[in-house]
Amino acid sequence: MNNKFNKLTLAAAITAAFASQAHAGGYQINEQSVSGQGYGHAGRSSNINDASIVYGNPAGMSFLDRAQITAGATYLNVNTDISNVEANRFIDSGVALGGAPNGNQIPVGSIPGGNSGDMVPGTAIPFAFYAHPVTDQLAFGFGVYAPFGSKTDYEDDFQGRYFGNYTEVTVVSAQPTVSYRFNEQWAVGAGVTYNQVEGELRRQLPSEATFNPDLDIDSRVDGDDEAWGYNLGVIYRPVPETTLGLTYRSKVDYTLEGNFSATDPLGNVVRADTASLELTTPETVNFSVTQQMSDRLKLMFGASWVRWSQFDQILVTGSQGDEITNEQQNYTNAWAFATGGEYQLTNTLALRAGVTLDFTPTNDEDRSVRIPSDDRRIFSLGAGWTPVDAFTVDVAYSYLTERGTFVDQGPRDDLLNGLGGASYSADYKNEAHGFGAQLTYRF
């Protein structure tokens, strides 16, 4: 294998890493509260149920009447249907005529393999929060949660494997938090976040002209980093029945240092290198309002904005500091809107429901097989049971359906040492089921 093969393989692998993490923002994880999941997170910044408000709006801690711990998890089951697939292999026309490569690719047949779909494994997303009012005005808290994450794992002979067949990226955040309530109307809060990111990305490279999946070279990169960010929040209650909340979460800048390897089917490492890339997860703003309609009923509305427009390119550098790739992404800022409600059926049982519209930052030109997502609608139901004053059990169920979308990638001409290429296009339809449970204990 020559140096060109090494650079192109490394570029493809690390580009996939960056794109996957970015798309995890499009798949931004909302699972930091099961009580909030029940009403579609419509009151994320304004509805103060339990210690999960540490994430939702740090200012809200100062309205809690006692110390409490909230912990739980949501299990996500994702289903994907892939149809109308076209996967073709190409060869340089100059090579086909027995000459030198000229850069013009001509199709020579389809890529062998399958498209079974359902490439997202079932995943549980845990969280835990603690809030402690020190005085009537001052409160401290702490939380551990996952703000971003994604995983896709296609079958070994996936026809789009040359564009990506495995992606796993996880961000875990720890957040110490403080809030102060000036009076019955105004409160502010702030939290510092310590964040760790880990990722592993894979794609395949053909080793010969028929693109036999049993002879592919496994190309992968893994890396990690840690960085700091912060959260700010404010709550305003013009009247006791109305609560308005506003939360800002900062961007977080990472420099991922990773290892790259390309391994043949016999387990021989044909190339290895190190690489780095700059990664920024975007800042977000959430506004919500909670209105107490009666002693038993309250309604909520929320809007979230994510500044994805700052993600306009992918810049990857090699071990010598040279530029390996610089690709345009052209993301757009994304909005999500939610509305929901909670009804106190009895003194011990609360029922919840909500609807969320979540718009994707991706575009048709750049969408990839790694995260083939589009606009989402989410329908949620939930309940909270408080058998005794100090203890609450919350459960929730959400159904997510995405607008049918497509990917159309290639033909890429960086395979087989630049002598061959591949393309992949398909229609995707995604849906997901989320099952959540959490416990809250008040001291």
Side-chain angles (χ1 to χ4, degrees):
M1 302 290 175
N2 60 21
N3 188 54
K4 180 178 180 181
F5 174 87
N6 178 46
K7 284 191 174 183
L8 290 170
T9 306
L10 180 60
I14 300 180
T15 295
F18 196 21
S20 175
Q21 177 58 34
H23 282 291
Y27 265 89
Q28 189 172 15
I29 294 178
N30 286 321
E31 285 70 32
Q32 297 89 17
S33 171
V34 172
S35 55
Q37 180 187 346
Y39 45 77
H41 301 289
R44 183 185 290 277
S45 295
S46 58
N47 196 46
I48 305 167
N49 267 330
D50 47 53
S52 65
I53 197 66
V54 169
Y55 174 83
N57 187 339
M61 292 190 305
S62 56
F63 287 93
L64 295 172
D65 59 356
R66 52 184 153 161
Q68 50 196 274
I69 294 175
T70 298
T74 297
Y75 179 81
L76 297 179
N77 180 32
V78 183
N79 303 312
T80 302
D81 179 67
I82 303 175
S83 60
N84 300 321
V85 176
E86 290 189 13
N88 296 309
R89 52 193 175 92
F90 296 78
I91 192 169
D92 187 279
S93 61
V95 174
L97 296 174
N102 59 25
N104 296 319
Q105 300 291 313
I106 58 174
V108 291
S110 63
I111 297 172
N115 297 273
S116 65
D118 292 344
M119 67 286 184
V120 181
T123 304
I125 304 173
F127 58 84
F129 299 96
Y130 173 71
H132 183 85
V134 179
T135 68
D136 290 341
Q137 295 177 295
L138 181 66
F140 290 95
F142 186 81
V144 179
Y145 54 88
F148 297 93
S150 66
K151 184 174 182 178
T152 54
D153 187 5
Y154 289 91
E155 67 269 33
D156 291 341
D157 68 343
F158 170 54
Q159 282 187 287
R161 60 189 177 273
Y162 304 124
F163 299 92
N165 64 326
Y166 183 90
T167 303
E168 184 171 13
V169 180
T170 303
V171 179
V172 177
S173 299
Q175 178 186 319
T177 310
V178 63
S179 69
Y180 185 81
R181 179 158 54 98
F182 298 99
N183 49 45
E184 293 302 316
Q185 292 182 308
W186 288 97
V188 295
V192 176
T193 61
Y194 169 73
N195 310 277
Q196 290 186 333
V197 58
E198 296 181 352
E200 181 179 353
L201 295 308
R202 307 174 195 168
R203 76 174 182 93
Q204 303 300 297
L205 292 169
S207 64
E208 44 74 53
T210 67
F211 287 23
N212 184 341
D214 294 330
L215 300 178
D216 283 343
I217 293 171
D218 181 64
S219 169
R220 63 179 65 188
V221 64
D222 58 57
D224 56 65
D225 192 25
E226 55 191 42
W228 295 87
Y230 62 91
N231 295 353
L232 302 173
V234 60
I235 282 181
Y236 173 54
R237 283 182 169 173
V239 294
E241 297 80 16
T242 304
T243 303
L244 295 90
L246 181 67
T247 304
Y248 171 83
R249 298 180 182 87
S250 74
K251 67 177 182 177
V252 179
D253 295 318
Y254 302 94
T255 301
L256 274 74
E257 302 293 339
N259 296 307
F260 161 75
S261 65
T263 308
D264 69 18
L266 298 178
N268 301 310
V269 177
V270 296
R271 283 292 175 183
D273 199 355
T274 61
S276 66
L277 60 93
E278 302 295 326
L279 166 65
T280 298
T281 54
E283 58 264 52
T284 66
V285 179
N286 178 268
F287 169 79
S288 70
V289 57
T290 299
Q291 179 65 44
Q292 193 75 43
M293 306 298 294
S294 67
D295 290 342
R296 293 184 178 271
L297 176 65
K298 58 182 173 182
L299 301 178
M300 289 153 276
F301 171 81
S304 296
W305 178 81
V306 184
R307 191 187 174 198
W308 274 117
S309 60
Q310 63 187 354
F311 181 45
D312 59 354
Q313 66 177 359
I314 297 171
L315 179 62
V316 182
T317 56
S319 57
Q320 303 302 315
D322 54 315
E323 182 178 300
I324 297 175
T325 186
N326 190 337
E327 300 184 6
Q328 299 300 305
Q329 294 299 304
N330 300 315
Y331 270 36
T332 57
N333 297 332
W335 283 91
F337 302 95
T339 185
E342 178 179 279
Y343 185 76
Q344 193 70 41
L345 184 65
T346 69
N347 290 335
T348 60
L349 181 63
L351 303 179
R352 304 170 182 131
V355 178
T356 305
L357 301 178
D358 192 359
F359 298 98
T360 181
T362 64
N363 62 75
D364 293 344
E365 182 178 353
D366 300 309
R367 188 176 297 111
S368 78
V369 298
R370 290 197 176 273
I371 307 291
S373 64
D374 213 304
D375 297 338
R376 305 181 299 177
R377 292 173 295 169
I378 308 169
F379 306 91
S380 300
L381 296 172
W385 180 51
T386 308
V388 294
D389 187 51
F391 186 73
T392 298
V393 179
D394 294 290
V395 294
Y397 166 75
S398 297
Y399 172 70
L400 180 153
T401 178
E402 281 192 358
R403 184 175 67 177
T405 192
F406 66 92
V407 299
D408 187 5
Q409 295 185 263
R412 66 183 314 148
D413 59 2
D414 58 358
L415 307 178
L416 289 175
N417 288 327
L419 304 183
S423 67
Y424 182 83
S425 64
D427 293 333
Y428 279 74
K429 179 62 178 176
N430 303 311
E431 66 173 12
H433 304 270
F435 306 90
Q438 80 176 30
L439 302 176
T440 297
Y441 180 74
R442 304 171 185 87
F443 299 92

